mmCIF file of all heavy atoms in Angstrom:
data_model
loop_
_atom_site.group_PDB
_atom_site.id
_atom_site.type_symbol
_atom_site.label_atom_id
_atom_site.label_comp_id
_atom_site.label_asym_id
_atom_site.label_seq_id
_atom_site.Cartn_x
_atom_site.Cartn_y
_atom_site.Cartn_z
ATOM 1 N N LEU A 1 -102.492 203.579 33.140
ATOM 2 C CA LEU A 1 -103.908 203.303 32.911
ATOM 3 C C LEU A 1 -104.753 204.574 32.916
ATOM 4 O O LEU A 1 -105.666 204.719 32.106
ATOM 5 C CB LEU A 1 -104.425 202.322 33.972
ATOM 6 C CG LEU A 1 -105.882 201.915 33.850
ATOM 7 C CD1 LEU A 1 -106.101 201.043 32.609
ATOM 8 C CD2 LEU A 1 -106.317 201.159 35.102
ATOM 9 N N ILE A 2 -104.431 205.489 33.807
ATOM 10 C CA ILE A 2 -105.216 206.731 33.888
ATOM 11 C C ILE A 2 -104.660 207.810 32.957
ATOM 12 O O ILE A 2 -105.113 208.942 32.985
ATOM 13 C CB ILE A 2 -105.301 207.263 35.328
ATOM 14 C CG1 ILE A 2 -103.920 207.639 35.859
ATOM 15 C CG2 ILE A 2 -106.001 206.257 36.234
ATOM 16 C CD1 ILE A 2 -103.936 208.435 37.138
ATOM 17 N N GLN A 3 -103.694 207.443 32.157
ATOM 18 C CA GLN A 3 -103.066 208.338 31.193
ATOM 19 C C GLN A 3 -102.452 209.572 31.859
ATOM 20 O O GLN A 3 -102.584 210.690 31.373
ATOM 21 C CB GLN A 3 -104.069 208.743 30.107
ATOM 22 C CG GLN A 3 -104.567 207.554 29.324
ATOM 23 C CD GLN A 3 -105.621 207.896 28.296
ATOM 24 O OE1 GLN A 3 -106.334 208.876 28.415
ATOM 25 N NE2 GLN A 3 -105.697 207.064 27.277
ATOM 26 N N ALA A 4 -101.789 209.315 32.968
ATOM 27 C CA ALA A 4 -101.027 210.389 33.614
ATOM 28 C C ALA A 4 -99.861 210.740 32.696
ATOM 29 O O ALA A 4 -99.375 209.878 31.947
ATOM 30 C CB ALA A 4 -100.511 209.919 34.974
ATOM 31 N N PRO A 5 -99.401 211.981 32.740
ATOM 32 C CA PRO A 5 -98.271 212.354 31.880
ATOM 33 C C PRO A 5 -97.049 211.483 32.163
ATOM 34 O O PRO A 5 -96.835 211.026 33.288
ATOM 35 C CB PRO A 5 -97.986 213.806 32.271
ATOM 36 C CG PRO A 5 -99.237 214.292 32.894
ATOM 37 C CD PRO A 5 -99.887 213.100 33.530
ATOM 38 N N LYS A 6 -96.262 211.244 31.153
ATOM 39 C CA LYS A 6 -95.014 210.495 31.323
ATOM 40 C C LYS A 6 -94.119 211.253 32.289
ATOM 41 O O LYS A 6 -94.070 212.480 32.278
ATOM 42 C CB LYS A 6 -94.292 210.326 29.988
ATOM 43 C CG LYS A 6 -95.080 209.558 28.959
ATOM 44 C CD LYS A 6 -95.179 208.104 29.321
ATOM 45 C CE LYS A 6 -95.901 207.331 28.234
ATOM 46 N NZ LYS A 6 -96.765 206.320 28.766
ATOM 47 N N GLY A 7 -93.421 210.501 33.115
ATOM 48 C CA GLY A 7 -92.508 211.127 34.061
ATOM 49 C C GLY A 7 -91.754 210.092 34.854
ATOM 50 O O GLY A 7 -92.161 208.923 34.935
ATOM 51 N N ASP A 8 -90.663 210.506 35.453
ATOM 52 C CA ASP A 8 -89.884 209.622 36.314
ATOM 53 C C ASP A 8 -90.647 209.388 37.612
ATOM 54 O O ASP A 8 -91.383 210.259 38.075
ATOM 55 C CB ASP A 8 -88.517 210.241 36.610
ATOM 56 C CG ASP A 8 -87.677 210.408 35.357
ATOM 57 O OD1 ASP A 8 -87.586 209.448 34.583
ATOM 58 O OD2 ASP A 8 -87.130 211.509 35.156
ATOM 59 N N LEU A 9 -90.448 208.214 38.211
ATOM 60 C CA LEU A 9 -91.137 207.828 39.427
ATOM 61 C C LEU A 9 -90.119 207.538 40.523
ATOM 62 O O LEU A 9 -89.284 206.650 40.376
ATOM 63 C CB LEU A 9 -92.003 206.585 39.157
ATOM 64 C CG LEU A 9 -92.723 205.946 40.333
ATOM 65 C CD1 LEU A 9 -93.683 206.937 41.000
ATOM 66 C CD2 LEU A 9 -93.471 204.692 39.854
ATOM 67 N N PHE A 10 -90.193 208.308 41.607
ATOM 68 C CA PHE A 10 -89.320 208.105 42.758
ATOM 69 C C PHE A 10 -90.179 207.654 43.928
ATOM 70 O O PHE A 10 -91.157 208.308 44.289
ATOM 71 C CB PHE A 10 -88.564 209.390 43.111
ATOM 72 C CG PHE A 10 -87.505 209.730 42.110
ATOM 73 C CD1 PHE A 10 -87.818 210.428 40.961
ATOM 74 C CD2 PHE A 10 -86.193 209.323 42.311
ATOM 75 C CE1 PHE A 10 -86.847 210.727 40.016
ATOM 76 C CE2 PHE A 10 -85.217 209.607 41.376
ATOM 77 C CZ PHE A 10 -85.545 210.316 40.230
ATOM 78 N N MET A 11 -89.779 206.518 44.526
ATOM 79 C CA MET A 11 -90.545 205.898 45.596
ATOM 80 C C MET A 11 -89.657 205.616 46.804
ATOM 81 O O MET A 11 -88.444 205.516 46.674
ATOM 82 C CB MET A 11 -91.167 204.593 45.095
ATOM 83 C CG MET A 11 -92.030 204.769 43.853
ATOM 84 S SD MET A 11 -92.768 203.233 43.265
ATOM 85 C CE MET A 11 -94.119 203.068 44.423
ATOM 86 N N ARG A 12 -90.287 205.441 47.924
ATOM 87 C CA ARG A 12 -89.613 205.065 49.170
ATOM 88 C C ARG A 12 -89.064 203.649 49.025
ATOM 89 O O ARG A 12 -89.745 202.776 48.493
ATOM 90 C CB ARG A 12 -90.648 205.106 50.289
ATOM 91 C CG ARG A 12 -90.241 204.493 51.585
ATOM 92 C CD ARG A 12 -91.427 204.221 52.516
ATOM 93 N NE ARG A 12 -92.335 205.308 52.701
ATOM 94 C CZ ARG A 12 -92.283 206.166 53.723
ATOM 95 N NH1 ARG A 12 -91.358 206.041 54.646
ATOM 96 N NH2 ARG A 12 -93.156 207.134 53.825
ATOM 97 N N SER A 13 -87.849 203.407 49.475
ATOM 98 C CA SER A 13 -87.364 202.026 49.483
ATOM 99 C C SER A 13 -88.091 201.274 50.597
ATOM 100 O O SER A 13 -88.502 201.866 51.593
ATOM 101 C CB SER A 13 -85.850 201.971 49.666
ATOM 102 O OG SER A 13 -85.490 202.422 50.933
ATOM 103 N N ALA A 14 -88.243 199.989 50.419
ATOM 104 C CA ALA A 14 -89.031 199.171 51.349
ATOM 105 C C ALA A 14 -88.519 199.240 52.786
ATOM 106 O O ALA A 14 -89.284 199.087 53.729
ATOM 107 C CB ALA A 14 -89.067 197.730 50.870
ATOM 108 N N ASP A 15 -87.245 199.492 52.974
ATOM 109 C CA ASP A 15 -86.684 199.551 54.329
ATOM 110 C C ASP A 15 -86.513 200.983 54.844
ATOM 111 O O ASP A 15 -85.872 201.199 55.867
ATOM 112 C CB ASP A 15 -85.360 198.796 54.382
ATOM 113 C CG ASP A 15 -84.312 199.388 53.450
ATOM 114 O OD1 ASP A 15 -84.666 200.225 52.592
ATOM 115 O OD2 ASP A 15 -83.137 199.000 53.570
ATOM 116 N N ASP A 16 -87.086 201.954 54.167
ATOM 117 C CA ASP A 16 -86.982 203.362 54.574
ATOM 118 C C ASP A 16 -88.230 203.734 55.376
ATOM 119 O O ASP A 16 -89.337 203.752 54.844
ATOM 120 C CB ASP A 16 -86.865 204.254 53.332
ATOM 121 C CG ASP A 16 -86.528 205.691 53.672
ATOM 122 O OD1 ASP A 16 -86.718 206.115 54.834
ATOM 123 O OD2 ASP A 16 -86.069 206.411 52.759
ATOM 124 N N HIS A 17 -88.047 204.020 56.654
ATOM 125 C CA HIS A 17 -89.173 204.279 57.551
ATOM 126 C C HIS A 17 -89.307 205.757 57.910
ATOM 127 O O HIS A 17 -90.031 206.102 58.837
ATOM 128 C CB HIS A 17 -89.031 203.432 58.818
ATOM 129 C CG HIS A 17 -88.806 201.975 58.532
ATOM 130 N ND1 HIS A 17 -89.759 201.190 57.926
ATOM 131 C CD2 HIS A 17 -87.732 201.190 58.714
ATOM 132 C CE1 HIS A 17 -89.291 199.968 57.778
ATOM 133 N NE2 HIS A 17 -88.060 199.939 58.241
ATOM 134 N N ARG A 18 -88.628 206.620 57.166
ATOM 135 C CA ARG A 18 -88.714 208.054 57.457
ATOM 136 C C ARG A 18 -90.080 208.604 57.056
ATOM 137 O O ARG A 18 -90.761 208.040 56.196
ATOM 138 C CB ARG A 18 -87.638 208.823 56.688
ATOM 139 C CG ARG A 18 -86.221 208.480 57.087
ATOM 140 C CD ARG A 18 -85.226 209.219 56.226
ATOM 141 N NE ARG A 18 -85.336 208.749 54.825
ATOM 142 C CZ ARG A 18 -84.873 209.416 53.775
ATOM 143 N NH1 ARG A 18 -84.285 210.595 53.932
ATOM 144 N NH2 ARG A 18 -84.993 208.924 52.564
ATOM 145 N N PRO A 19 -90.457 209.742 57.632
ATOM 146 C CA PRO A 19 -91.704 210.395 57.210
ATOM 147 C C PRO A 19 -91.620 210.827 55.741
ATOM 148 O O PRO A 19 -90.528 211.076 55.205
ATOM 149 C CB PRO A 19 -91.794 211.628 58.122
ATOM 150 C CG PRO A 19 -90.898 211.335 59.278
ATOM 151 C CD PRO A 19 -89.817 210.430 58.759
ATOM 152 N N ALA A 20 -92.779 210.933 55.112
ATOM 153 C CA ALA A 20 -92.845 211.296 53.689
ATOM 154 C C ALA A 20 -92.123 212.614 53.406
ATOM 155 O O ALA A 20 -91.455 212.744 52.382
ATOM 156 C CB ALA A 20 -94.300 211.388 53.239
ATOM 157 N N ALA A 21 -92.236 213.579 54.306
ATOM 158 C CA ALA A 21 -91.586 214.875 54.073
ATOM 159 C C ALA A 21 -90.074 214.713 53.945
ATOM 160 O O ALA A 21 -89.450 215.324 53.071
ATOM 161 C CB ALA A 21 -91.923 215.862 55.191
ATOM 162 N N GLU A 22 -89.472 213.872 54.769
ATOM 163 C CA GLU A 22 -88.028 213.651 54.695
ATOM 164 C C GLU A 22 -87.639 212.951 53.400
ATOM 165 O O GLU A 22 -86.638 213.307 52.765
ATOM 166 C CB GLU A 22 -87.543 212.825 55.888
ATOM 167 C CG GLU A 22 -87.510 213.590 57.188
ATOM 168 C CD GLU A 22 -86.990 212.738 58.330
ATOM 169 O OE1 GLU A 22 -86.059 211.925 58.112
ATOM 170 O OE2 GLU A 22 -87.531 212.869 59.446
ATOM 171 N N ILE A 23 -88.414 211.974 53.017
ATOM 172 C CA ILE A 23 -88.120 211.233 51.798
ATOM 173 C C ILE A 23 -88.214 212.149 50.582
ATOM 174 O O ILE A 23 -87.325 212.180 49.736
ATOM 175 C CB ILE A 23 -89.078 210.032 51.659
ATOM 176 C CG1 ILE A 23 -88.750 208.992 52.743
ATOM 177 C CG2 ILE A 23 -89.023 209.413 50.270
ATOM 178 C CD1 ILE A 23 -89.801 207.958 52.951
ATOM 179 N N LYS A 24 -89.286 212.921 50.518
ATOM 180 C CA LYS A 24 -89.485 213.806 49.370
ATOM 181 C C LYS A 24 -88.445 214.922 49.347
ATOM 182 O O LYS A 24 -87.952 215.293 48.274
ATOM 183 C CB LYS A 24 -90.907 214.363 49.377
ATOM 184 C CG LYS A 24 -91.930 213.265 49.089
ATOM 185 C CD LYS A 24 -93.342 213.784 49.151
ATOM 186 C CE LYS A 24 -94.325 212.648 48.921
ATOM 187 N NZ LYS A 24 -95.714 213.119 48.920
ATOM 188 N N MET A 25 -88.083 215.450 50.505
ATOM 189 C CA MET A 25 -87.035 216.474 50.575
ATOM 190 C C MET A 25 -85.716 215.906 50.068
ATOM 191 O O MET A 25 -84.962 216.596 49.368
ATOM 192 C CB MET A 25 -86.864 216.987 52.000
ATOM 193 C CG MET A 25 -87.932 217.968 52.428
ATOM 194 S SD MET A 25 -87.811 219.523 51.544
ATOM 195 C CE MET A 25 -86.218 220.077 52.089
ATOM 196 N N ASP A 26 -85.429 214.671 50.417
ATOM 197 C CA ASP A 26 -84.201 214.018 49.957
ATOM 198 C C ASP A 26 -84.177 213.909 48.436
ATOM 199 O O ASP A 26 -83.195 214.273 47.793
ATOM 200 C CB ASP A 26 -84.078 212.636 50.610
ATOM 201 C CG ASP A 26 -82.800 211.920 50.233
ATOM 202 O OD1 ASP A 26 -81.729 212.555 50.246
ATOM 203 O OD2 ASP A 26 -82.877 210.714 49.925
ATOM 204 N N VAL A 27 -85.277 213.416 47.852
ATOM 205 C CA VAL A 27 -85.348 213.264 46.394
ATOM 206 C C VAL A 27 -85.245 214.625 45.706
ATOM 207 O O VAL A 27 -84.446 214.809 44.781
ATOM 208 C CB VAL A 27 -86.658 212.550 45.975
ATOM 209 C CG1 VAL A 27 -86.872 212.623 44.465
ATOM 210 C CG2 VAL A 27 -86.659 211.107 46.451
ATOM 211 N N ILE A 28 -86.032 215.578 46.165
ATOM 212 C CA ILE A 28 -86.036 216.906 45.544
ATOM 213 C C ILE A 28 -84.673 217.571 45.696
ATOM 214 O O ILE A 28 -84.147 218.156 44.742
ATOM 215 C CB ILE A 28 -87.166 217.776 46.132
ATOM 216 C CG1 ILE A 28 -88.525 217.206 45.701
ATOM 217 C CG2 ILE A 28 -87.013 219.236 45.713
ATOM 218 C CD1 ILE A 28 -89.721 217.807 46.429
ATOM 219 N N GLY A 29 -84.075 217.452 46.865
ATOM 220 C CA GLY A 29 -82.744 218.032 47.086
ATOM 221 C C GLY A 29 -81.692 217.437 46.173
ATOM 222 O O GLY A 29 -80.896 218.161 45.571
ATOM 223 N N ARG A 30 -81.675 216.111 46.069
ATOM 224 C CA ARG A 30 -80.695 215.444 45.205
ATOM 225 C C ARG A 30 -80.872 215.843 43.741
ATOM 226 O O ARG A 30 -79.905 216.144 43.042
ATOM 227 C CB ARG A 30 -80.788 213.926 45.332
ATOM 228 C CG ARG A 30 -80.108 213.365 46.565
ATOM 229 C CD ARG A 30 -80.097 211.846 46.597
ATOM 230 N NE ARG A 30 -81.448 211.318 46.814
ATOM 231 C CZ ARG A 30 -82.085 210.501 45.974
ATOM 232 N NH1 ARG A 30 -81.510 210.089 44.871
ATOM 233 N NH2 ARG A 30 -83.301 210.075 46.239
ATOM 234 N N LEU A 31 -82.115 215.843 43.268
ATOM 235 C CA LEU A 31 -82.359 216.131 41.856
ATOM 236 C C LEU A 31 -82.095 217.593 41.507
ATOM 237 O O LEU A 31 -81.500 217.875 40.467
ATOM 238 C CB LEU A 31 -83.785 215.738 41.465
ATOM 239 C CG LEU A 31 -84.075 214.237 41.481
ATOM 240 C CD1 LEU A 31 -85.533 213.961 41.161
ATOM 241 C CD2 LEU A 31 -83.167 213.492 40.517
ATOM 242 N N THR A 32 -82.518 218.493 42.367
ATOM 243 C CA THR A 32 -82.277 219.908 42.058
ATOM 244 C C THR A 32 -80.782 220.221 42.087
ATOM 245 O O THR A 32 -80.297 220.994 41.274
ATOM 246 C CB THR A 32 -83.039 220.844 43.023
ATOM 247 O OG1 THR A 32 -82.691 220.544 44.377
ATOM 248 C CG2 THR A 32 -84.542 220.731 42.825
ATOM 249 N N HIS A 33 -80.063 219.585 43.007
ATOM 250 C CA HIS A 33 -78.611 219.792 43.082
ATOM 251 C C HIS A 33 -77.904 219.151 41.883
ATOM 252 O O HIS A 33 -77.079 219.780 41.227
ATOM 253 C CB HIS A 33 -78.067 219.232 44.394
ATOM 254 C CG HIS A 33 -76.585 219.361 44.523
ATOM 255 N ND1 HIS A 33 -75.975 220.566 44.790
ATOM 256 C CD2 HIS A 33 -75.592 218.448 44.386
ATOM 257 C CE1 HIS A 33 -74.660 220.383 44.819
ATOM 258 N NE2 HIS A 33 -74.404 219.102 44.580
ATOM 259 N N SER A 34 -78.232 217.892 41.600
ATOM 260 C CA SER A 34 -77.564 217.165 40.512
ATOM 261 C C SER A 34 -77.765 217.801 39.148
ATOM 262 O O SER A 34 -76.853 217.838 38.331
ATOM 263 C CB SER A 34 -78.078 215.724 40.439
ATOM 264 O OG SER A 34 -77.714 215.023 41.593
ATOM 265 N N PHE A 35 -78.971 218.305 38.918
ATOM 266 C CA PHE A 35 -79.291 218.846 37.598
ATOM 267 C C PHE A 35 -79.270 220.370 37.560
ATOM 268 O O PHE A 35 -79.623 220.960 36.537
ATOM 269 C CB PHE A 35 -80.641 218.308 37.110
ATOM 270 C CG PHE A 35 -80.641 216.823 36.932
ATOM 271 C CD1 PHE A 35 -81.388 216.007 37.758
ATOM 272 C CD2 PHE A 35 -79.858 216.225 35.942
ATOM 273 C CE1 PHE A 35 -81.380 214.628 37.608
ATOM 274 C CE2 PHE A 35 -79.844 214.848 35.785
ATOM 275 C CZ PHE A 35 -80.602 214.048 36.618
ATOM 276 N N GLY A 36 -78.879 220.994 38.651
ATOM 277 C CA GLY A 36 -78.797 222.448 38.682
ATOM 278 C C GLY A 36 -80.132 223.119 38.387
ATOM 279 O O GLY A 36 -80.190 224.117 37.669
ATOM 280 N N ILE A 37 -81.189 222.573 38.934
ATOM 281 C CA ILE A 37 -82.528 223.111 38.691
ATOM 282 C C ILE A 37 -82.702 224.400 39.487
ATOM 283 O O ILE A 37 -82.584 224.412 40.709
ATOM 284 C CB ILE A 37 -83.607 222.082 39.082
ATOM 285 C CG1 ILE A 37 -83.448 220.819 38.247
ATOM 286 C CG2 ILE A 37 -85.007 222.671 38.950
ATOM 287 C CD1 ILE A 37 -84.269 219.650 38.727
ATOM 288 N N ALA A 38 -82.987 225.476 38.775
ATOM 289 C CA ALA A 38 -83.141 226.772 39.423
ATOM 290 C C ALA A 38 -84.537 226.954 40.009
ATOM 291 O O ALA A 38 -84.690 227.420 41.136
ATOM 292 C CB ALA A 38 -82.844 227.894 38.431
ATOM 293 N N LYS A 39 -85.559 226.598 39.242
ATOM 294 C CA LYS A 39 -86.937 226.760 39.696
ATOM 295 C C LYS A 39 -87.693 225.470 39.450
ATOM 296 O O LYS A 39 -87.446 224.772 38.472
ATOM 297 C CB LYS A 39 -87.627 227.888 38.933
ATOM 298 C CG LYS A 39 -87.075 229.249 39.237
ATOM 299 C CD LYS A 39 -87.871 230.303 38.503
ATOM 300 C CE LYS A 39 -87.275 231.674 38.802
ATOM 301 N NZ LYS A 39 -88.002 232.724 38.117
ATOM 302 N N PHE A 40 -88.629 225.185 40.345
ATOM 303 C CA PHE A 40 -89.463 224.006 40.180
ATOM 304 C C PHE A 40 -90.782 224.230 40.892
ATOM 305 O O PHE A 40 -90.929 225.178 41.663
ATOM 306 C CB PHE A 40 -88.764 222.743 40.703
ATOM 307 C CG PHE A 40 -88.526 222.725 42.180
ATOM 308 C CD1 PHE A 40 -89.476 222.198 43.049
ATOM 309 C CD2 PHE A 40 -87.345 223.230 42.716
ATOM 310 C CE1 PHE A 40 -89.250 222.175 44.422
ATOM 311 C CE2 PHE A 40 -87.112 223.211 44.080
ATOM 312 C CZ PHE A 40 -88.069 222.682 44.933
ATOM 313 N N ALA A 41 -91.723 223.348 40.630
ATOM 314 C CA ALA A 41 -93.020 223.382 41.312
ATOM 315 C C ALA A 41 -93.240 222.052 42.017
ATOM 316 O O ALA A 41 -92.715 221.017 41.590
ATOM 317 C CB ALA A 41 -94.137 223.646 40.321
#
């Protein structure tokens, strides 16, 4: 609706009670490792 750029969406699972930093570190770690991402923002 707000015309945000297209992109993949990663969200906390409903039963995941970890702090946001842990959840985001998990997603970023998995994706950078899986896709061999050298640099990111």
